[in-house]
């Protein structure tokens, strides 16, 4: 049975360095939950605390209502998939997958049945008698997956499992993992620094920075409504433009961009002073007014055209036009005005770095 994973004020320190700074998370049973962030943000440290490989220096970790702080790793009802697969080179594929079941003293007939089912699920049943050195990287990863879930853990932990694969195989394997997780319904906690991977595979994502949780949400929420400048800059492509806010009515705030154009926005509260607009390439468009500039390079990418535009103020921005909406590629050197979809962009207080737009 899948577990809920509840983390309360989790702290991890290494001497004077705080790797995790009071992290709170509530992960639902059967959910695919991703810890996403740059190297050194604490995501693997947190995963290893959940696994029982790292001690907890503060706070509490629960599976459902069971406190795990002092429970040994092998008693935590987890499966683990590592970055380097960690499969045994001297054992066959079937023997690798059976390893955890033998450790649990499962009867031999049941081991054989469950191993066959697991290999069938990851579509490598024909390779059951091969050794790891006879397998491709993708096949070895499937062995590691089968070994992790064949023991029917309540929680499956995955630490950058696709980072050693080439780009095409990573895309294939993330689809395999997502389908498998949905079919089995195992609570899965997945660590990655790859934003596209996290968006493609997750039910919810926690974006981390320097041992803190910056935002938790669905992939759509994280991408479309980043709650602070860090998340906006880390996830996908964002164009940041400095501006000044004014006006007492937050429903009709004035947004002045370096004296070159004035826009109207809806804010959460009255706000005056320096701010930053964050606009995705698809949240900007060519208009009759806006920020003046020149197309420096255009790239045709099939379903959309990516434009790099050098604004008159010296800033470079990226704007995407979708080929279904336009007839031709705009030539390099074309003078243009860049406007914003103010219903979609995010505006951040320059001091707090937190979102203030609705």
């Amino acid at each position: 049975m899948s577990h809920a994973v509840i983390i309360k004020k989790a702290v991890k320190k290494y001497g004077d360095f705080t790797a995790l700074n009071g992290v709170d998370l509530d992960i639902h049973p059967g959910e695919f939950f991703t810890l996403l962030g740059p190297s050194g943000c604490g995501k693997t440290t947190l995963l290893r605390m959940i696994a029982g490989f790292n001690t907890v220096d503060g706070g509490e970790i629960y599976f459902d209502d069971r406190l795990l702080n002092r429970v040994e790793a092998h008693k935590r009802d987890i499966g683990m998939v590592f970055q380097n697969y960690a499969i045994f080179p001297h054992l066959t594929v079937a023997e690798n997958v059976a390893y955890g079941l033998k450790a649990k003293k499962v009867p031999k007939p049941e081991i054989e049945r469950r191993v066959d089912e697991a290999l069938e699920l990851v579509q490598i049943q024909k390779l059951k008698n091969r050794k790891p050195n006879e397998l491709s990287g993708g096949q070895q990863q499937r062995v590691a997956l089968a070994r992790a879930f064949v023991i029917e853990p309540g929680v499956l932990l995955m630490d950058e499992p696709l980072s050693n694969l080439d780009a095409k195989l990573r895309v294939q394997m993330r689809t395999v993992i997502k389908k498998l997780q949905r079919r089995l319904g195992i609570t899965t906690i997945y660590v990655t620094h790859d934003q596209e991977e996290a968006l493609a595979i997750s039910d919810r994502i926690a974006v981390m920075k320097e041992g803190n949780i910056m935002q938790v949400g669905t992939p759509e929420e994280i991408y479309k409504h980043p709650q602070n400048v860090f998340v906006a800059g880390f996830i996908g492509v964002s164009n940041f433009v400095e501006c000044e806010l004014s006006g007492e009515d937050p429903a009709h705030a004035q947004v002045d961009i370096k004296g070159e154009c004035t826009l109207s926005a809806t804010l959460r509260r009255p706000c005056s002073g320096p701010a930053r607009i964050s606009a995705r390439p698809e949240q900007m468009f060519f208009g009759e007014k806006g920020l003046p500039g020149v197309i420096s390079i255009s790239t045709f990418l099939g379903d959309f055209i990516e434009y790099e535009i050098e604004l008159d103020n010296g800033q470079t921005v990226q704007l995407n036009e979708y080929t279904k909406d336009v007839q031709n590629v705009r030539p390099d050197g074309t003078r243009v005005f860049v406007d914003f979809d103010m219903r979609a962009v995010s505006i951040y207080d320059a001091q707090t770095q937190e979102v203030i737009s609705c």
Side-chain angles (χ1 to χ4, degrees), residues 296-310:
S296 56
I297 188 167
S298 57
T299 306
F300 181 79
L301 295 170
D303 57 340
F304 69 94
I305 307 152
E306 179 184 289
Y307 293 99
E308 186 177 288
I309 302 152
E310 185 172 340

Side-chain angles (χ1 to χ4, degrees), residues 149-163:
F149 70 71
V150 75
I151 61 174
E152 299 177 356
V155 177
L156 180 60
L157 306 176
M158 308 184 77
D159 186 10
E160 304 255 18
L162 306 182
S163 61

Side-chain angles (χ1 to χ4, degrees), residues 7-14 17-25 35-47 49 58 206-215 230:
I7 300 165
K8 298 181 179 180
K9 307 296 181 189
V11 173
K12 183 64 185 175
K13 294 185 177 183
Y14 297 99
F17 174 69
T18 300
L20 285 179
N21 187 25
V23 168
D24 289 301
L25 284 175
L35 303 174
L36 172 67
S39 297
C41 71
K43 56 189 185 293
T44 293
T45 297
L46 179 56
L47 192 80
M49 288 168 69
V207 182
M208 298 183 67
K209 176 190 177 186
E210 297 174 354
N212 296 289
I213 302 292
M214 304 303 290
Q215 184 174 349
F230 175 79

Side-chain angles (χ1 to χ4, degrees), residues 309-329:
I309 302 152
E310 185 172 340
L311 303 177
D312 286 1
N313 63 22
Q315 184 176 357
T316 299
V317 297
Q318 181 180 317
L319 182 156
N320 293 347
E321 272 194 327
Y322 288 85
T323 49
K324 67 180 180 60
D325 301 322
V326 295
Q327 296 299 315
N328 300 299
V329 178

Side-chain angles (χ1 to χ4, degrees), residues 91-129:
L91 300 180
T92 65
V93 166
E95 289 167 342
N96 264 284
V97 175
Y99 186 84
L101 296 173
K102 290 180 178 178
K104 287 176 174 263
K105 301 191 183 326
V106 174
K108 186 176 180 181
E110 186 177 349
I111 289 176
E112 293 176 354
R113 177 184 62 79
R114 286 167 63 173
V115 166
D116 284 343
E117 287 177 354
L119 295 177
E120 186 69 32
L121 276 173
V122 296
Q123 299 177 343
I124 54 170
Q125 193 173 30
K126 293 180 180 179
L127 307 177
K128 64 185 296 183
N129 295 318

